[in-house]
Structures are given as structure tokens and as C-alpha cells.
Amino acid sequence: MEEGGFTLVSRNRGKAAMPRSPPPRNELSQGFTYKSTNKNAGSNGKPKIEQDARSVSATLDAAINSMRISALYTTLLLDLAACSSPIPTRSVACISYGIGSPASSSIALHQLALLVLMHRQFEVTLLPVLDAQTLTPHHAQFTSLEAFDPVFTRLDCEVLKLYGITPIETNERAHRIITGPTLFYMPHCGHTMYSTLLSANWSSRKLSQIRVIGNTFAAYELIPRQAAMQRQSPQLMKVLPYTRAVSMDTVPYGAGDVFNNTSYHWFDGVDEVPDEDSFWTVIEAEVVDDGEVV
């Protein structure tokens, strides 16, 4: 499968598991602690913030090094390496929503570790692909890397900047209209966020350029409250027949429920739906109090 600037091969097409509730984003256990910082910082707090950021960074680096040799990450790279179709672009934007606070949550920190690893993989090694115009090999790259979560603190933002990630200043509520191939990194977000993202880009041209790492979409077909899902996340439910995915939940990861019920998604065949088809009519979602909406 080749389209929209991405290529991926599915290795597991079995039925998805029932969605499990994501773990609390403020979990402090999981066996890591931060080094003490200078309590005599200046009144503006900047020296202390910088020291705290370096401390969190040291913990994050350890998580990155651990994940780099994990079965989960090496399996993900094998999935990518199995791709043989040409990717017709070298530029991929990456946007992360809702990972939580890496400074206070172990789960958020390990999710950030994977994002940083993917960023480095795309920037440094990646798979050689063919330029659609010149048919010469090149390497795809993240052209931008941004992140938002309403729980981000000043410390979290300083940590993100250390890894080349730009904190998003305003709450977009996942209503980001893409301008090119884009990977959305949204582990353990609410289903209404995925549907909002799809609604903002509800055309075959844009959907074919979107990839989402998030809760396994197919699992939403298995939950009993289908009528409510249709009202609350209409575009998500409509696109399910065209959704393809690689599960990231097939390999255990030692840091708890970091990637449970998580898959890498793309949309195949939407370009064959005629523009005048009622499929492309955006259905207004029922407003709900979704605790996972950022």
C-alpha cells in the first residue's frame, strides 16, 4: 500500500481487543525518580526549571535507551522495513496530542520516549524511498514536531524543547487541518478526539495523507454502545471500513500499560469513494463530556 507519503505493511489482521481504559496520566510509580534540584533558584524560577528539565531529560534518556532495544520498538521497525512500495514525499509533519506530563507520569514519559525515537529514526536512518518526480533515493523526514496536552507545565515544555519538540500554545482540541502528510501521535486519547481530527480533514485527499498512532480503531466496533458511538464520533465510525492498522499491542512492553490497545492506522480506499457520495457529508457530533478530550 502506497499513498499520501506513507507506506506500511500490516502484520496482524486478527480481531482487535476490546478497548481498555487508559491508565491515569498522573501515575508516579513505575520505578523512576528525579534527581534533587537547587532550591535556591532565582525568583523567576528559571535556573530551577533548567535543572529540573535536565533531571527529567536524564530519566527520559534512560527510557529511550531501554526502548531502543525493546521487542516493541524492534518489531515496529521490522514492520516499517518490510515496506517495499515507494513513498512519494520526503516531508512528514508530526503532531502529538494528549500524552500527559512526562515530568510527573511514567506512562507519559515512556510514550514520549517512543516519539523521540521515531523522530530520530526518521531524521537519521529511515528507509530509503524513491522521489516521485526524479525516482532517486532519499530519506523521509519530520518537517515539524509539535505537542499539546492541557496538563503540560513549564517544566514539561522545557523538556520537550530539549528534544526538538515545539509545544503548541493553544488548545486545538484535535481540530488540525493538515497541509501535507502528517503523523498524529495520540496514544490513549478519547474517541471523540479521533473523530474531530477526521472531521477537520474529511476528504479523500487529506485522509490518504494522515496516519494515526492511537487507540485501536477497530475495537470501537466491538463495544456495546454503538448508537452512542455513531452520535458522538460519527466520522470515526464511518471511516472504520477503510481503516487499516498494525497493532502495537502484540509485544509486551515492560513499563506497564503504555501501549495497550494501540495501533498505527492509515486509510485505504477512501480515494475510490465518489466526491458526491453521502459518505463525505460531515455529520455534526453530539457534544459529550469526554474526560479524555484535551
Side-chain angles (χ1 to χ4, degrees), residues 91-154:
S91 302
V92 180
C94 182
I95 300 166
S96 173
Y97 292 133
I99 64 170
S101 168
S104 61
S105 166
S106 171
I107 289 171
L109 184 129
H110 284 273
Q111 289 175 348
L112 178 58
L114 177 60
L115 180 61
V116 172
L117 273 177
M118 292 180 64
H119 182 206
R120 292 176 178 175
Q121 186 73 20
F122 274 87
E123 287 293 324
V124 179
T125 59
L126 249 197
L127 305 172
V129 294
L130 296 179
D131 184 279
Q133 301 299 320
T134 64
L135 299 182
T136 56
H138 65 77
H139 292 80
Q141 292 183 332
F142 283 170
T143 56
S144 61
L145 183 54
E146 304 172 76
F148 178 84
D149 195 301
V151 305
F152 282 166
T153 63
R154 285 181 57 202

Side-chain angles (χ1 to χ4, degrees), residues 8-17 75-76 78-79 82 216-219 243-252 261-266:
L8 197 60
V9 173
S10 176
R11 298 177 59 154
N12 185 349
R13 294 185 181 269
K15 285 188 177 181
T75 299
L76 181 60
L78 286 173
D79 281 327
T216 300
F217 289 1
T243 303
R244 304 294 178 265
V246 169
S247 175
M248 295 171 57
D249 200 15
T250 59
V251 179
N261 186 42
T262 301
S263 294
Y264 184 111
H265 305 84
W266 70 96

Side-chain angles (χ1 to χ4, degrees), residues 271-285:
D271 57 334
E272 298 175 6
V273 181
D275 291 341
E276 64 275 11
D277 195 283
S278 61
F279 175 85
W280 295 116
T281 301
V282 175
I283 300 174
E284 186 174 351

